C-alpha cells in the first residue's frame, strides 16, 4: 500500500510584480528565498512529519527572511512600530489559532500555533498575546530586529500623513507581501499557516485578513487548505478562504474551478486584488491571482519543484 501523496505550496505576496521593474539581483534573492522555504517544509514532509509542522516551519523560514513582509523586515506602522499578525489551522479537527497587532515576538506563526494548542482561545491580540508568548517561552526580540532600511524609508515618505503604502510598491503599483504555506502530509492531513506585517503607515490598529480564520486562512481535510494574499478588506468581506472550501463542499466544484471563480470573478467584482494558494486532499494545488505577479512555489511528491514570480511562468 502506497502512502498518500504529500505536497506543499507557499507564497510570499502578490501584486504589481513586473519583469521590467525587477532588479535582476533581487529576483535571484526572491527565488532563492522561496525555494529555501519550500525545501524546509518539503524535508519535513518527506521524513513523515505532520502537515502542521511543515506549514509552520515553512512560514517561519519566510518570517526570518527580510525580503518578505512578515517577521524580520516587516513594514512600519503609523507610529513607527511593527505590528504583526498570523494564523494557523489544521484540517483534521479544524482547530485554529491566530494573533494580531503583536510586537516583539520573533516568529508570530509559532505564537498562533501556541494559541491553538495551549489555550482555550482561537485569537489573541496586542499586549495580551505578547504576555502569553512570554509565558509560553517563545523567543522575544527587540524592535531593532525587525528593521529593514528600505521599509523604513518607505515609511518616512508618508510619515505624519493618513496615507498607507503597500510593500515594495513603486508609484502607481500595489504589492501585498503577506506570506503563507499549505501542506499535505502522508496521513492525508492538511494544514495552513500565514503571517504578515500589514501595510506601511497603517493607522488605528488596523488588522487585515491574515489573522482572520476563514478570510486569510482555512483548512479542512474534506476540501482543502487555503492561504490568501491581497488587499485584506475585500478578502474579509468575501470570507475568501472559507468560501473556497464551501464551493467545493456544497457546490461540488473542483479546487481549480472554485479558486478561479473567487479570484477572477467574485473578488474583482468588489475591486479585490491579490491571490491565494490552496491544496486539496489529493495533492492538487492552485496558485491563483488576479494581478501581475505572485511570489510562489510548489512541490508535490514525485514531481519537480516549481518556483514562480510573474504571470507568464
Amino acid at each position: 500500500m502506497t502512502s498518500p501523496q504529500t505536497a506543499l505550496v507557499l507564497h510570499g505576496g502578490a501584486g504589481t510584480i513586473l519583469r521590467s521593474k525587477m532588479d535582476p539581483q533581487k529576483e535571484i534573492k526572491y527565488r532563492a528565498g522561496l525555494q529555501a522555504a519550500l525545501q524546509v517544509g518539503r524535508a519535513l514532509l518527506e521524513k513523515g512529519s505532520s502537515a502542521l509542522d511543515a506549514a509552520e516551519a515553512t512560514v517561519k523560514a519566510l518570517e526570518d527572511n527580510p525580503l518578505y513582509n512578515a517577521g524580520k523586515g516587516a513594514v512600519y506602522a503609523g507610529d513607527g512600530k511593527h505590528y504583526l499578525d498570523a494564523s494557523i489551522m489544521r484540517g483534521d479537527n479544524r482547530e485554529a489559532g491566530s494573533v494580531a497587532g503583536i510586537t516583539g515576538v520573533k516568529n508570530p506563526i509559532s505564537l498562533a500555533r501556541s494559541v491553538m494548542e495551549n489555550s482555550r482561545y482561537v485569537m489573541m491580540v496586542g499586549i495580551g498575546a505578547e504576555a502569553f508568548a512570554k509565558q509560553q517561552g517563545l523567543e522575544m526580540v527587540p524592535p531593532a530586529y525587525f528593521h529593514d532600511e528600505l521599509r523604513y524609508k518607505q515609511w518616512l515618505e508618508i510619515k505624519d500623513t493618513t496615507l498607507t503604502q503597500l510593500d515594495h510598491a513603486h508609484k502607481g503599483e500595489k504589492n501585498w507581501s503577506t506570506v503563507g504555506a499549505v501542506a499535505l502530509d502522508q496521513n492525508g492531513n492538511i494544514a495552513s499557516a500565514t503571517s504578515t506585517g500589514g501595510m506601511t503607515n497603517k493607522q488605528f490598529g488596523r488588522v487585515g485578513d491574515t489573522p482572520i480564520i476563514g478570510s486569510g486562512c482555512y483548512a479542512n481535510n474534506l476540501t482543502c487548505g487555503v492561504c490568501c494574499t491581497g488587499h485584506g478588506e475585500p478578502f474579509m468581506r468575501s470570507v475568501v478562504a472559507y468560501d473556497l472550501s464551501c464551493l467545493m463542499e456544497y457546490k461540488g466544484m473542483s479546487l481549480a474551478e472554485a479558486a478561479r471563480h473567487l479570484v477572477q470573478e467574485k473578488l474583482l467584482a468588489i475591486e479585490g486584488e491579490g491571490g491565494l494558494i490552496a491544496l486539496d486532499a489529493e495533492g492538487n494545488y492552485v496558485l491563483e491571482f488576479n494581478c501581475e505577479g505572485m511570489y510562489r512555489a510548489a512541490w508535490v511528491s514525485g514531481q519537480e519543484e516549481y518556483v514562480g514570480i510573474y504571470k507568464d511562468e
Side-chain angles (χ1 to χ4, degrees):
M1 182 175 177
T2 59
S3 297
Q5 205 160 35
T6 53
L8 177 69
V9 291
L10 64 87
H11 76 80
T16 312
I17 306 168
L18 303 168
R19 290 181 191 273
S20 60
K21 294 188 177 181
M22 176 68 78
D23 175 83
Q25 293 305 310
K26 199 152 206 176
E27 177 177 336
I28 291 171
K29 291 179 180 178
Y30 271 117
R31 291 184 186 275
L34 294 168
Q35 188 156 41
L38 187 72
Q39 290 172 351
V40 166
R42 172 181 176 174
L44 288 171
L45 291 169
E46 287 184 324
K47 72 175 187 179
S49 296
S50 70
L52 191 65
D53 285 346
E56 180 194 10
T58 302
V59 168
K60 282 179 72 173
L62 293 167
E63 287 179 336
D64 292 344
N65 188 331
L67 282 174
Y68 306 100
N69 174 24
K72 185 176 180 64
V75 298
Y76 283 80
D79 61 2
K81 297 180 180 179
H82 306 276
Y83 295 99
L84 312 174
D85 309 328
S87 64
I88 193 165
M89 187 169 183
R90 50 189 297 171
D92 55 349
N93 59 13
R94 276 163 277 177
E95 287 184 349
S98 77
V99 292
I102 62 169
T103 63
V105 180
K106 181 175 183 286
N107 291 109
I109 195 62
S110 295
L111 179 54
R113 180 170 179 176
S114 194
V115 169
M116 177 179 72
E117 294 182 335
N118 302 319
S119 82
R120 296 172 294 165
Y121 310 126
V122 169
M123 188 175 196
M124 293 184 188
V125 301
I127 58 173
E130 292 158 22
F132 182 71
K134 293 173 184 175
Q135 182 191 89
Q136 293 294 305
L138 295 180
E139 186 173 356
M140 308 297 290
V141 291
Y145 169 81
F146 299 104
H147 175 78
D148 177 83
E149 192 62 25
L150 172 62
R151 305 267 164 59
Y152 184 64
K153 289 178 179 177
Q154 288 177 332
W155 175 61
L156 290 179
E157 291 174 1
I158 55 175
K159 180 176 175 284
D160 299 322
T161 74
T162 58
L163 299 173
T164 56
Q165 181 171 304
L166 298 163
D167 181 48
H168 287 327
H170 298 281
K171 188 174 182 181
E173 298 177 1
K174 302 174 182 178
N175 287 348
W176 301 276
S177 296
T178 312
V179 305
V182 185
L184 171 68
D185 64 29
Q186 292 177 6
N187 295 316
N189 292 319
I190 297 171
S192 301
T194 184
S195 182
T196 190
M199 295 192 298
T200 298
N201 207 43
K202 61 185 179 184
Q203 309 284 318
F204 309 116
R206 181 264 182 187
V207 174
D209 65 306
T210 295
I212 308 300
I213 302 301
S215 291
C217 177
Y218 192 73
N220 183 342
N221 280 3
L222 298 176
T223 53
C224 62
V226 195
C227 287
C228 301
T229 177
H231 185 186
E233 280 70 13
F235 279 78
M236 286 189 279
R237 287 158 51 200
S238 296
V239 202
V240 169
Y242 181 61
D243 204 14
L244 181 63
S245 175
C246 287
L247 288 171
M248 295 176 68
E249 184 173 4
Y250 303 133
K251 294 200 72 173
M253 286 188 177
S254 69
L255 181 69
E257 289 171 333
R260 193 176 306 113
H261 170 70
L262 279 172
V263 175
Q264 308 299 344
E265 298 177 32
K266 190 170 182 178
L267 271 173
L268 284 179
I270 57 170
E271 300 181 345
E273 298 175 86
L276 61 82
I277 60 170
L279 269 175
D280 69 16
E282 304 302 317
N284 300 305
Y285 70 84
V286 292
L287 309 165
E288 190 76 31
F289 53 98
N290 60 25
C291 40
E292 268 68 29
M294 182 166 73
Y295 300 109
R296 61 202 188 272
W299 166 77
V300 177
S301 55
Q303 299 181 22
E304 293 292 317
E305 293 182 352
Y306 165 79
V307 176
I309 297 177
Y310 311 110
K311 187 178 285 188
D312 60 353
E313 60 179 328

